[in-house]
Amino acid sequence: MATNAESGDDELQFRDPEKAEQLTDELEALMAEIGEPVNVMHVCGSHEQAIAKFGLRSILPDDLTVRMGPGCPVCVTNMPEVDEAVALAEEGKIVTTYGDMFRVPGTEKSLADARDEGADVRVVYSASEAAEIAEEEPDREVIFFATGFETTAAPTAAVLTSDPPENFSVLSAHKYVPPAMEVVAEMPDTDVDGFLAAGHAATITGYGLFEDFVEEYDTPAVVGGFEPIDVLYALARLLEFIRDDEAGLENAYPRCVSREGNVPAKQQLWEVFDTTSGEWRGIAEIPDANLVLSEDYAHFDARERFDIAVDPGAADPLTEECICGDIMAGKADPDECDLFGEECTPQDPVGACMVSSEGTCKIWLEYGGQPDL
Amino acid sequence: MCLGIPGEIIEIDGQEARAEFWDVEKTVRIDVVDEAVEVGDHILNHAGFAIRKIPDEEVEETMEIYESFLEGDEDEALEEIGAGEGEQLGIEGR
Ligand code: SF4
Ligand code: SF4
């Protein structure tokens, strides 16, 4: 890896070996005080990436396990949602979506497969780019297959409140994180002692949102950034709470996250979206965690506008063997999946966790199975 | 799509701005950012939208942290800001 000649080591906090060592010593000491194994869960693909990329698991105390949770909105998008997007594309409409979503398999095919067969599917990098396509193609229906948590739902909302073209609509697969944390916290066999909450989603919603959660589930939570030092620091704060048997909440990512979050963005978000219950792929039916367009914006709702004829063909029998759901609920590791790296690869993914750059299976494969460098 | 990338605002036109991400210039919307932004400010870009203004005193540190984080992993960052084929982040030392 290239070194950055201009910035000295001391400026690069997370590379600062001294600081990293201090933190790992602190973690060891805290674990000794706690005196029993601890399971914490993160709910952010970016956390898994930081942990894997920098080999953090190898420097963590042995009896501290960091589990991955439902941290990637691509991974938790349910297959029938992909099927809806595919069906619209196959009807000759223009379907736009983020790059991460493009290759995620639906029941029978992905949007990439549909495009190979001639459908007009376009990868965009923002919701506004999708609306621009609608402007350029006034005679076509342009659908934005919208995925992501709060951080991308707020931009989708911004586009809808700024008067997009008539031929533009949204197929929302947006998801809202906090209810999913509640469901996971309640799963009897998940056994989480504390949560490392997702820094980026909290940029929008603010960490204040977790106050009720912490109290109700009697589980501490720390909002953490995704640079290695941030992760180590957040883990240390979490272990302190666990040691003190305190269901506390701390913001260890003040660089990006405030208590209130981004207030105007939140207002827009809740003007445009309502929550509804729905299935998170492989995990469970989660109450109030799917974002759908509110009544005022129903005319931009692709589900209202079109009669989406989803015809789920026979599901790939391999998907039955995919354990993505267990992985995201913190019950299993990718290498426990029989398909891992064999039948299921980033080039030919069976489950969504192998597709996205922050999907746990892809990360583990990329960094050599169990990324315990 | 969840990785926020910091960039510097170089031009503002209504709700749109041009921002520079290590030499790559891209358009970002600034209507969901938490504060008013001006040319010269740094923002965190998320899927084409500035979602946060980075406080001046944190800019340097934030940029450095990202530079290290993105090293060797530029593809995702490029995808994140919607860069075209062949574009490269001008991260120092690469
Ligand atoms: S390896 Fe593939 S099939 Fe197995 S859990 Fe991961 S994504 Fe699913
Ligand atoms: S792959 Fe990463 S960026 Fe894409 S949705 Fe998942 S967590 Fe977000």
Side-chain angles (χ1 to χ4, degrees):
Chain A
M1 191 179 284
T3 48
N4 190 329
E6 269 189 8
S7 38
D9 281 346
D10 50 349
E11 283 167 303
L12 293 179
Q13 291 210 3
F14 73 85
R15 284 232 181 128
D16 183 343
E18 232 169 85
K19 188 147 185 200
E21 216 180 290
Q22 258 171 26
L23 281 166
T24 43
D25 287 351
E26 199 180 327
L27 291 173
E28 292 285 356
L30 284 161
M31 286 304 295
E33 287 177 53
I34 294 168
E36 57 185 17
V38 168
N39 278 319
V40 303
M41 175 181 272
H42 68 69
V43 269
C44 179
S46 301
H47 279 150
E48 184 58 30
Q49 215 185 21
I51 290 166
K53 178 170 172 181
F54 295 96
L56 294 187
R57 282 201 178 82
S58 62
I59 58 169
L60 295 179
D62 285 342
D63 42 1
L64 171 60
T65 308
V66 183
R67 292 256 173 219
M68 35 265 148
C72 170
V74 167
C75 302
V76 300
T77 300
N78 212 17
M79 286 199 279
E81 294 174 297
V82 178
D83 294 343
E84 287 178 306
V86 168
L88 289 169
E90 289 184 333
E91 281 170 21
K93 301 174 172 79
I94 300 176
V95 173
T96 59
T97 195
Y98 291 118
D100 321 46
M101 215 47 228
F102 189 56
R103 287 175 46 247
V104 173
T107 317
E108 208 178 330
K109 52 181 104 160
S110 65
L111 283 168
D113 297 333
R115 186 165 79 176
D116 288 345
E117 291 165 15
D120 195 346
V121 180
R122 305 187 194 179
V123 170
V124 291
Y125 92 103
S126 70
S128 39
E129 197 184 332
E132 276 159 30
I133 293 176
E135 225 153 85
E136 287 156 16
E137 306 256 12
D139 302 330
R140 311 266 313 267
E141 288 290 342
V142 176
I143 293 120
F144 179 48
F145 183 36
T147 53
F149 295 134
E150 294 85 319
T151 29
T152 49
T156 303
V159 167
L160 289 178
T161 54
S162 53
D163 212 10
E166 288 286 307
N167 58 327
F168 175 73
S169 57
V170 169
L171 180 67
S172 173
H174 281 306
K175 305 252 184 299
Y176 186 55
V177 179
M181 284 171 65
E182 292 176 15
V183 165
V184 172
E186 275 179 352
M187 287 181 169
D189 40 355
T190 293
D191 186 25
V192 179
D193 301 305
F195 280 94
L196 184 58
H200 282 139
T203 310
I204 299 285
T205 47
Y207 69 86
L209 178 85
F210 298 112
E211 282 163 6
D212 290 345
F213 170 83
V214 158
E215 200 172 313
E216 190 169 331
Y217 293 90
D218 199 25
T219 307
V222 173
V223 177
F226 61 88
E227 295 82 19
I229 284 283
D230 287 334
V231 174
L232 293 176
Y233 177 78
L235 287 174
R237 302 284 74 80
L238 206 47
L239 288 187
E240 259 171 16
F241 285 137
I242 293 168
R243 176 197 61 193
D244 300 340
D245 207 10
E246 189 192 334
L249 171 66
E250 188 170 318
N251 177 20
Y253 195 30
R255 229 176 18 257
C256 273
V257 177
S258 64
R259 184 173 180 280
E260 273 69 43
N262 180 336
V263 176
K266 269 199 294 194
Q267 277 163 353
Q268 263 180 344
L269 179 68
W270 296 121
E271 184 189 329
V272 170
F273 290 105
D274 286 334
T275 56
T276 182
S277 303
E279 190 77 21
W280 284 34
R281 185 177 192 140
I283 300 182
E285 166 96 11
I286 302 190
D288 303 325
N290 282 8
L291 297 174
V292 289
L293 298 192
S294 66
E295 237 175 76
D296 289 349
Y297 289 85
H299 50 295
F300 288 121
D301 188 344
R303 294 189 182 94
E304 295 282 329
R305 196 180 293 187
F306 311 108
D307 199 11
I308 306 177
V310 182
D311 170 28
D316 180 345
L318 283 179
T319 56
E320 302 280 307
E321 291 174 49
C322 171
I323 60 165
C324 276
D326 286 346
I327 291 170
M328 287 183 288
K331 297 178 203 168
D333 288 335
D335 49 11
E336 288 169 46
C337 174
D338 292 338
L339 308 179
F340 179 70
E342 310 268 334
E343 282 93 345
C344 181
T345 59
Q347 292 72 37
D348 193 10
V350 174
C353 294
M354 193 56 95
V355 178
S356 58
S357 49
E358 280 143 50
T360 306
C361 295
K362 176 149 182 225
I363 293 170
W364 280 47
L365 199 66
E366 206 163 292
Y367 295 99
Q370 163 112 30
D372 227 334
L373 311 174
Chain B
M1 86 191 64
C2 299
L3 189 66
I5 309 281
E8 182 179 352
I9 302 285
I10 50 175
E11 200 184 301
I12 295 182
D13 177 14
Q15 296 300 346
E16 284 192 347
R18 292 292 284 176
E20 192 179 284
F21 304 91
W22 292 279
D23 302 342
V24 181
E25 262 185 46
K26 286 289 149 194
T27 301
V28 296
R29 291 267 302 256
I30 52 173
D31 44 357
V32 295
V33 72
D34 52 346
E35 288 173 66
V37 296
E38 295 169 12
V39 169
D41 284 345
H42 285 73
I43 48 92
L44 196 64
N45 165 61
H46 200 108
F49 283 73
I51 54 165
R52 182 171 145 89
K53 179 179 156 188
I54 302 167
D56 290 343
E57 62 278 13
E58 290 170 14
V59 166
E60 200 177 328
E61 185 196 349
T62 305
M63 298 307 285
E64 276 167 5
I65 287 173
Y66 274 84
E67 278 171 21
S68 304
F69 189 69
L70 298 177
E71 239 173 55
D73 225 351
E74 287 198 1
D75 288 352
E76 199 192 346
L78 287 166
E79 197 179 300
E80 203 67 34
I81 57 172
E85 292 273 312
E87 282 187 280
Q88 281 197 336
L89 296 179
I91 292 184
E92 199 54 42
R94 282 183 57 81

